[in-house]
Structure formats: C-alpha cells, structure tokens
C-alpha cells in the first residue's frame, strides 16, 4: 500500500500517485516539452481551483462566492480556448473542461 501524506483536513495524495502524474525534468530532454507545458498550465488552474475551495472551507468566501469564482474561471477558459490570438489554444484545455466536474 502506498504511503499517504496528509495535506490539510480534506486532501490526501500518495507519493506514488504524485510521481506518476508529474512529468519530471527528464521529459524536456526526451522532447516532451509541449506535454510538460500543458501539464503545468492545467496544474496552475487546478491549484487555483483548490485554493478557491479552501477559501470557502475557511469561511473567507461564501459557498455562493466560491461557486461564482469557479464559474468565472470556467467561462474564461471556454471563451478563449482555440482562439488563434489566445495562448489557450492547446487541446489539453478542452480535455480539462470536459473532466471538470462542478461541485454539488
């Protein structure tokens, strides 16, 4: 069984799972820089989404304000994905939005 680290009251991430998800520096020398960039871009947005949720849990944002902020991010991504003048033109953003499950 993989060792589980505790990060705050609600998030558990195994070291083994983090290593599998992380593309690592070796990927750059293997010619996978675009994939690593896509991973990093979506990881930044995931981190912000987690931070927003944390702010709700701390009481710094109301549930309504937290949902509204998530919707602002979702709509901003939807509106810019695939636009030639936008940096969000990678297909990974479409997959990111497809996988994003709204809070219930």
């Amino acid at each position: 069984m993989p060792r589980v680290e505790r990060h705050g009251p609600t998030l558990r991430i195994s070291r083994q799972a983090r290593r599998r998800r992380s593309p690592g520096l070796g990927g750059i020398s293997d010619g996978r820089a675009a994939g690593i960039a896509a991973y990093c871009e979506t990881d930044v947005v995931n981190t912000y989404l987690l931070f927003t949720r944390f702010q709700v849990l701390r009481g710094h944002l109301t549930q309504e304000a937290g949902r509204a902020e998530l919707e602002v991010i979702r709509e901003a991504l939807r509106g810019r994905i695939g636009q030639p003048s936008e940096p969000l033109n990678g297909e990974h953003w479409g997959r990111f939005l497809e996988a994003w499950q709204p809070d219930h």
Side-chain angles (χ1 to χ4, degrees):
M1 177 166 251
R3 179 175 171 202
V4 175
E5 294 180 0
R6 189 159 177 82
H7 297 274
T10 60
L11 182 63
R12 291 176 180 253
I13 302 173
S14 76
R15 285 184 181 182
Q16 186 177 22
R18 279 201 326 250
R19 279 194 297 268
R20 276 195 306 264
R21 286 193 326 250
S22 177
L25 292 176
I28 293 174
S29 61
D30 295 344
R32 294 180 287 151
I36 292 171
Y39 169 85
C40 292
E41 290 170 2
T42 56
D43 195 45
V44 167
V45 174
N46 271 321
T47 301
Y48 183 73
L49 298 176
L50 183 61
F51 172 75
T52 301
R53 181 75 172 151
F54 179 64
Q55 292 295 77
V56 171
L57 293 172
R58 294 174 62 189
H60 289 233
L61 287 176
T62 64
Q63 289 259 348
E64 184 177 299
R67 281 191 202 107
E69 182 64 16
L70 297 180
E71 194 57 32
V72 165
I73 300 301
R74 184 189 308 269
E75 290 305 312
L77 289 174
R78 279 187 188 139
R80 293 184 172 148
I81 290 174
Q83 300 297 320
S85 63
E86 293 290 336
L88 302 175
N89 57 9
E91 64 184 43
H92 60 286
W93 287 112
R95 289 191 308 268
F96 180 86
L97 283 174
E98 287 175 15
W100 183 350
Q101 298 297 314
D103 290 341
H104 299 287

